[in-house]
Amino acid sequence: MVKNENMKNSYKHERYYVRVIKYAILQIIAAILIILWLMPLYALFVGGLKSNIAAAATPALLPPSKPSGDAYYFVWKGFGGIYGLIGLEYPLLREILIAVPVAALATFLGAMGAYFFYIIMNRHFVLSTIGFAIISLATYLPVETTTVPLIQIVSSLHIYNTYYGVIIAYLMFYIPMSALLMSIFMPSIPNYLLEAAKIDGASDWKVFWKVMMPLLVPGFLSTFIFTFLQIWNNFFIPILLISNPHLMLLSIAVRQYAGGYAIIYNRSFAAGVVGSIVPLVVFIFLGRYFIRGLAALGGGAKGV
Amino acid sequence: MKKQAYLMVIPTLFFSGLLLFTIVWNIWLSFQNSSILVHKPKFVGLATYQYLFSQYFFKISTMHTLVFTVGLVAVGNVLGLLFAGLLYFIPNNVQRSIYLSIFIYPLAIASSTSALIWEWLLNPTIGIDWLLKLMHLPAPYWLGTSNMSLVSMIMIEVWAYTGLAALFYLASFMNIDKSIIEAARIDHASDLKILFRILIPNSMNGFIISTALLFLFSFRIFTIPFVLGGSATSPTLMTYVMYVYNLFISEYFSASAAMAVIVTLIAAAVILPFAILGLMKWVFRR
């Protein structure tokens, strides 16, 4: 009896050490991967704080010996005359003024579309399948496939080199995407709420606005943030539809500071920081909404 | 009462219709010979496609697209699975979600910024090669030779998109009934055994989702090869979507449209089955 107890204890003891070692190995592997994944971000922030010569001559992964904000000042103002580079101050403002309202509009209109798919899903199977196929196609199709028709539509409407063209192109891709994301969030709302509101004589708009939307705030926010970041990070549509440097959007303005003819060392890092600071801050504070939006792309993977 | 719902779907229908219209327009254009060299374009049947298939850039972009896509799908799936396994066995919820966020953040930042950072990190004197030399490891010229550029590109893609695969694998691991894992633990199954015998075999949906999404994300990648390659006309990293743009700026409009049709067909062959057989079923018939 006593012997048996002892054996049990020693067994438990061993298990405890094994568990601790296993846990330590797990954490060490995770830490190595985390460091590898964060390395580019670290190089970005460190590089922008170096002086010009230091950035070109010292390893990208070493911190600056004497931090300086020169590069940020330069990319912010641009000193257009000197290198023909555009400062990032106005492109950043323009990007905010375009990305926020367009993302909000796309999310809202997409949510209305998703509501339609949601209520006809049980009644018109073929119709809803076709609709769902179309919005999925619009979500996942590479933007570049629309190059020639897009430029022809935009120039025949005489809106080449204006923001109207860019906004129409964004809406063309991101309203269907929002509709898809919202149709993935919507089925989590129980059907009987809709039925009850309908029996009480509420119109579709009232059901959507008063019943669905208050319950869908997290899904709506996820869709909005996901769409916002997609628009913010979009590179192809602005480069295709805007050639006037005075209308440049942020992602294109950042690219001036990379490679090509304009390798101006520390400034490319600073430009990268300015280009990604808003997405990074959004990701740090509202990352779970972004991740939920991402998960919705794969059918709303539940449990994360 | 139902009329209002039909009104509400109009914006979505209008803009998706516009997108479908651009696809149809591409098909129509691809059967003509519209380019800067032709004054009055006329119908030429499949001649544009024949022209396209004979081009060197077409062959090289096919090769690159294939390498990038297969590379990302293979490496991304394996790493995503292992990352998800790692995260699954981390007992602390807060820690797990922070780690997952760190694997996912490359998807949130601008791809023009990622391209710019990697251009520096792959620099042979001051980039990661500096660290590799310091540790007496082989330090390749990342963007120096054409084969190494492809490897570098896959590496950047893996950095950018593995978080996606990890997210979906972790989600499907979390969906597996906890009692099965408890039962395995009582039978003294090791963590590795649980991962390979229980978690992975039961994550078919995670595999389907992450394969489809990794394929589509890799297939549409434009900014990073565009910036790293130096310009839209540089063949070193040219992919299908870059070739569409390249043909457009060199004003071969019909050839560009034909290329866009090819891209659309390949993408649609993955998107439509994924959307109808996968997404719709999971979302609406659960």
Side-chain angles (χ1 to χ4, degrees):
Chain A
M1 187 74 187
V2 173
K3 205 184 165 195
N4 207 353
E5 197 87 309
N6 268 341
M7 261 176 76
K8 238 182 190 169
N9 273 341
S10 80
Y11 167 72
K12 257 187 179 171
H13 214 56
E14 206 181 276
R15 285 295 289 176
Y16 177 74
Y17 280 120
V18 171
R19 275 220 306 271
V20 166
I21 290 167
K22 264 189 189 164
Y23 186 70
I25 291 173
L26 205 68
Q27 290 289 2
I28 289 168
I29 297 172
I32 291 170
L33 290 172
I34 293 301
I35 289 170
L36 279 178
W37 247 250
L38 285 175
M39 196 173 64
L41 197 64
Y42 164 78
L44 178 71
F45 278 99
V46 161
L49 290 172
K50 287 177 187 170
S51 72
N52 214 342
I53 299 159
T58 58
L61 296 174
L62 282 185
S65 52
K66 225 202 278 165
S68 90
D70 287 355
Y72 287 98
Y73 186 67
F74 187 94
V75 298
W76 188 250
K77 289 289 176 200
F79 298 100
I82 305 175
Y83 298 99
L85 294 173
I86 306 292
L88 299 179
E89 185 181 6
Y90 291 108
L92 183 79
L93 280 177
R94 288 177 204 135
E95 192 72 61
I96 292 174
L97 289 178
I98 287 182
V100 175
V102 172
L105 187 69
T107 309
F108 186 71
L109 295 178
M112 284 176 14
Y115 175 75
F116 174 78
F117 289 124
Y118 179 62
I119 60 167
I120 68 159
M121 191 51 73
N122 298 323
R123 279 173 257 164
H124 304 280
F125 178 69
V126 177
L127 195 66
S128 54
T129 307
I130 292 172
F132 200 77
I134 292 172
I135 57 174
S136 317
L137 201 63
T139 305
Y140 299 113
L141 200 66
V143 192
E144 293 78 9
T145 54
T146 55
T147 307
V148 180
L150 196 59
I151 207 103
Q152 285 180 344
I153 291 171
V154 163
S155 44
S156 68
L157 293 171
H158 303 291
I159 48 173
Y160 180 72
N161 250 336
T162 65
Y163 295 133
Y164 297 114
V166 174
I167 290 170
I168 287 178
Y170 282 157
L171 291 179
M172 190 169 96
F173 281 101
Y174 297 123
I175 289 182
M177 191 183 88
S178 307
L180 182 75
L181 294 181
M182 288 306 283
S183 357
I184 285 163
F185 290 124
M186 251 175 214
S188 65
I189 292 181
N191 214 13
Y192 65 81
L193 282 178
L194 266 87
E195 299 299 329
K198 286 248 165 107
I199 288 166
D200 289 346
S203 64
D204 274 324
W205 174 256
K206 270 231 167 86
V207 173
F208 171 70
W209 189 241
K210 297 267 159 110
V211 180
M212 300 290 270
M213 284 313 268
L215 294 169
L216 273 173
V217 169
F220 191 84
L221 208 54
S222 295
T223 310
F224 170 72
I225 287 178
F226 194 77
T227 314
F228 169 73
L229 290 178
Q230 292 290 308
I231 292 176
W232 187 280
N233 296 341
N234 201 307
F235 182 78
F236 186 74
I237 286 172
I239 209 174
L240 184 68
L241 296 180
I242 289 182
S243 61
N244 182 350
H246 296 294
L247 297 175
M248 227 179 226
L249 287 175
L250 191 61
S251 51
I252 313 300
V254 165
R255 194 240 161 182
Q256 303 172 93
Y257 293 91
Y261 304 107
I263 299 188
I264 313 173
Y265 309 120
N266 59 346
R267 284 157 207 162
S268 61
F269 289 114
V273 172
V274 175
S276 277
I277 194 75
V278 171
L280 267 179
V281 170
V282 168
F283 186 74
I284 289 167
F285 289 104
L286 298 166
R288 62 181 185 282
Y289 291 104
F290 174 79
I291 292 176
R292 208 179 294 153
L294 201 63
L297 275 184
K302 289 184 179 162
V304 178
Chain B
M1 191 164 91
K2 258 185 81 187
K3 269 180 199 148
Q4 265 184 350
Y6 284 99
L7 282 179
M8 284 161 72
V9 79
I10 285 175
T12 308
L13 277 192
F14 175 78
F15 284 101
S16 341
L18 197 62
L19 190 85
L20 284 186
F21 175 66
T22 67
I23 296 174
V24 175
W25 194 333
N26 267 330
I27 296 172
W28 168 239
L29 256 176
S30 72
F31 290 126
Q32 299 183 342
N33 61 351
S34 167
S35 80
I36 190 79
L37 306 168
V38 181
H39 185 57
K40 278 208 176 101
K42 61 174 195 294
F43 187 83
V44 293
L46 292 170
T48 310
Y49 288 92
Q50 277 170 353
Y51 162 81
L52 205 57
F53 294 149
S54 68
Q55 292 297 301
Y56 166 71
F57 273 22
F58 179 79
K59 282 165 199 157
I60 201 164
S61 59
T62 306
M63 197 269 278
H64 291 164
T65 308
L66 209 63
V67 169
F68 295 161
T69 323
V70 171
L72 179 67
V73 169
V75 182
N77 260 325
V78 171
L79 279 186
L81 206 51
L82 293 180
F83 285 13
L86 195 68
L87 294 175
Y88 185 82
F89 289 114
I90 287 177
N92 185 334
N93 276 333
V94 178
Q95 206 178 25
R96 186 192 296 141
S97 65
I98 290 175
Y99 284 7
L100 183 65
S101 305
I102 290 173
F103 291 136
I104 286 176
Y105 89 91
L107 278 160
I109 66 172
S111 49
S112 51
T113 302
S114 318
L116 194 144
I117 309 170
W118 281 100
E119 194 171 32
W120 277 101
L121 286 180
L122 298 180
N123 178 303
T125 50
I126 67 167
I128 41 179
D129 277 359
W130 166 79
L131 193 67
L132 292 175
K133 275 177 199 151
L134 213 66
M135 290 156 74
H136 299 286
L137 291 168
Y141 288 107
W142 294 102
L143 296 168
T145 64
S146 54
N147 282 342
M148 270 325 281
S149 324
L150 299 186
V151 174
S152 314
M153 192 59 219
I154 293 175
M155 188 174 79
I156 300 172
E157 279 192 295
V158 165
W159 171 75
Y161 297 126
T162 298
L164 195 74
L167 170 68
F168 289 112
Y169 281 120
L170 185 61
S172 37
F173 290 177
M174 294 292 196
N175 271 340
I176 294 167
D177 198 349
K178 293 282 177 298
S179 57
I180 301 174
I181 291 153
E182 289 306 315
R185 279 206 200 286
I186 288 167
D187 291 342
H188 301 305
S190 68
D191 282 355
L192 279 181
K193 216 166 206 166
I194 291 176
L195 177 64
F196 284 105
R197 292 287 166 84
I198 298 175
L199 295 178
I200 293 176
N202 283 308
S203 350
M204 199 55 200
N205 275 0
F207 175 73
I208 293 170
I209 298 170
S210 71
T211 304
L213 291 188
L214 287 176
F215 173 83
L216 291 168
F217 273 84
S218 171
F219 198 56
R220 77 201 297 182
I221 195 162
F222 177 85
T223 319
I224 295 174
F226 182 87
V227 173
L228 289 183
S231 78
T233 50
S234 151
T236 46
L237 290 171
M238 183 171 283
T239 60
Y240 269 4
V241 287
M242 277 172 81
Y243 192 35
V244 174
Y245 183 66
N246 177 25
L247 284 166
F248 163 72
I249 55 169
S250 45
E251 313 209 5
Y252 286 96
F253 302 120
S254 281
S256 175
M259 196 61 225
V261 171
I262 294 171
V263 172
T264 308
L265 285 178
I266 297 174
V270 175
I271 297 167
L272 293 180
F274 174 64
I276 295 168
L277 303 176
L279 284 186
M280 239 179 103
K281 221 167 69 189
W282 299 324
V283 173
F284 293 106
R285 272 167 247 162
R286 198 165 265 182

